[in-house]
Amino acid sequence: LEAIGFCWAARFVDHRWEQYFEQLVEHKAEHGHLKVSWKNQNLARWVRQQHDAKSMSRERIARLQALGFEWRGNNAPVCESE
């Protein structure tokens, strides 16, 4: 697969991001908000990482915003080149 340019790390990161995003969707459906308690440390840490991200794809920014995600100080990350 490497010979045809398959990027293992990117696939894993994309899959993990999708898993946490789906958990956040479920959290909002159950609780009505996106404030994740530290009782769910993994999801809470992921949410914090999204807040701290300096750059992110347009698609991810749009998906988070559509869910009602609020950026710290209204500072959304810069869009990555796609």
Side-chain angles (χ1 to χ4, degrees), residues 37-74:
S37 165
W38 280 100
K39 291 179 184 175
N40 186 344
Q41 289 183 2
N42 290 335
L43 183 57
R45 187 175 301 117
W46 181 84
V47 168
R48 185 183 68 212
Q49 289 171 345
Q50 304 318 295
H51 280 292
D52 294 342
K54 303 288 187 223
S55 65
M56 188 179 298
S57 72
R58 289 182 197 277
E59 177 191 359
R60 288 182 180 179
I61 292 170
R63 290 175 68 193
L64 287 167
Q65 288 176 333
L67 192 58
F69 196 87
E70 295 181 14
W71 307 101
R72 290 185 181 152
N74 294 323

Side-chain angles (χ1 to χ4, degrees), residues 2-80:
E2 289 89 359
I4 61 170
F6 186 84
C7 181
W8 294 99
R11 296 279 185 203
F12 177 75
V13 169
D14 288 346
H15 179 71
R16 293 292 298 239
W17 195 94
E18 289 297 330
Q19 286 181 320
Y20 283 117
F21 181 79
E22 288 304 317
Q23 288 180 33
L24 189 60
V25 169
E26 291 170 10
H27 176 85
K28 184 174 182 183
E30 183 177 336
H31 300 285
H33 58 75
L34 298 175
K35 296 176 183 171
V36 179
S37 165
W38 280 100
K39 291 179 184 175
N40 186 344
Q41 289 183 2
N42 290 335
L43 183 57
R45 187 175 301 117
W46 181 84
V47 168
R48 185 183 68 212
Q49 289 171 345
Q50 304 318 295
H51 280 292
D52 294 342
K54 303 288 187 223
S55 65
M56 188 179 298
S57 72
R58 289 182 197 277
E59 177 191 359
R60 288 182 180 179
I61 292 170
R63 290 175 68 193
L64 287 167
Q65 288 176 333
L67 192 58
F69 196 87
E70 295 181 14
W71 307 101
R72 290 185 181 152
N74 294 323
N75 292 327
V78 174
C79 294
E80 295 175 346

